Amino acid sequence: MPVEQPYDYGLWGLVVVNVLIFGAFVVGLLRPRRRVEWRSLGVFSAFIVALFAEMYGFPLTIYLLSSLLGNNLGIRTPYGHVEGHLLGSLLGFTKAGTLVVCLLGSLTMATGAWVMWRAWTQVHAAKGGLVTAGLYSRVRHPQYAGLFLITVGMLIQWPTFLTLAMWPLLICAYVKLAAREEKEMLAKFGAAYQTYRASTRAFLPRWRRTAPRTTEV
């Protein structure tokens, strides 16, 4: 008697719930108001819809890999939920090893969420002033850096063809948004922001802090 293969998908309610949770979290912290901000958020929204649609709805990436590679895929039960963590499955990890990969992705997402929240509290407390302390002493755009960490964690935990293709577009959207915001900050704060920008990286912190460069007036 053949053993019934698990099919842990078709859970569209979970797709909706997860999209709403992550979407509400990011909207609440980034507070988009202008069209360009909503446009960047739209790229992130498409990213998480694609991710959770494959995580709980229909496993398009696994289906395509199974169709192309067949038994060479090396996954005995490709439509089980644990096997959907493709990094562990394709590298031949045990279920325990695959769950470790999943945990690594979750920790990366949690770190990104904390960075976004902490940066938001600093901006909120400044009430429109220039923030250069705390996380902002390490990078100029910690909220976007946190968002990038969240998406990296998602790709570690559940990589798909669609999300891997969309991730560079998401990064480009927020890099362009950050560049636009920096022009506005220069117009508002002048030399103070120019000095800050000269000593602080945009998204990736320096291993060693450097003293701010002075700006001649």
Side-chain angles (χ1 to χ4, degrees):
M1 182 177 180
V3 178
E4 184 178 350
Q5 293 286 330
Y7 186 79
D8 299 329
Y9 295 93
L11 306 174
W12 295 103
L14 284 177
V15 175
V16 173
V17 168
N18 279 276
V19 169
L20 290 177
I21 289 174
F22 278 88
F25 175 80
V26 171
V27 169
L29 294 185
L30 295 184
R31 302 288 178 89
R33 293 181 177 85
R34 298 172 299 179
R35 181 179 299 178
V36 64
E37 295 169 336
W38 281 107
R39 190 160 54 238
S40 299
L41 183 65
V43 180
F44 173 75
S45 300
F47 180 90
I48 59 174
V49 167
L51 173 79
F52 291 116
E54 288 210 42
M55 187 179 290
Y56 297 112
F58 180 76
L60 177 63
T61 298
I62 296 175
Y63 177 79
L64 292 175
L65 287 174
S66 299
S67 299
L68 292 171
L69 301 177
N71 293 333
N72 294 325
L73 183 59
I75 303 177
R76 295 183 61 184
T77 56
Y79 299 105
H81 192 72
V82 173
E83 288 75 15
H85 300 274
L86 283 174
L87 283 182
S89 298
L90 294 177
L91 292 174
F93 292 172
T94 63
K95 284 191 176 183
T98 300
L99 290 176
V100 170
V101 174
C102 176
L103 178 61
L104 177 61
S106 296
L107 289 175
T108 304
M109 284 190 283
T111 301
W114 179 85
V115 168
M116 288 190 70
W117 172 80
R118 187 71 187 96
W120 178 85
T121 61
Q122 288 187 251
V123 172
H124 183 71
K127 297 180 179 180
L130 178 61
V131 184
T132 60
L135 291 176
Y136 283 87
S137 70
R138 306 297 295 177
V139 293
R140 301 196 303 272
H141 303 281
Q143 282 193 300
Y144 298 158
L147 183 67
F148 297 162
L149 275 176
I150 290 175
T151 56
V152 168
M154 290 173 169
L155 291 177
I156 292 172
Q157 190 175 82
W158 207 279
T160 70
F161 289 147
L162 283 177
T163 52
L164 287 170
M166 293 172 64
W167 192 76
L169 300 178
L170 186 150
I171 298 299
C172 286
Y174 278 97
V175 167
K176 288 181 179 179
L177 179 59
R180 177 170 179 159
E181 290 174 349
E182 292 208 348
K183 291 180 181 178
E184 296 169 357
M185 297 294 281
L186 280 170
K188 182 176 181 180
F189 296 107
Y193 190 80
Q194 187 174 357
T195 300
Y196 167 67
R197 186 173 69 169
S199 62
T200 311
R201 288 182 175 177
F203 305 105
L204 297 174
R206 287 187 172 92
W207 288 105
R208 295 181 181 179
R209 299 193 186 196
T210 58
R213 301 174 187 172
T214 58
T215 303
E216 295 183 2
V217 181

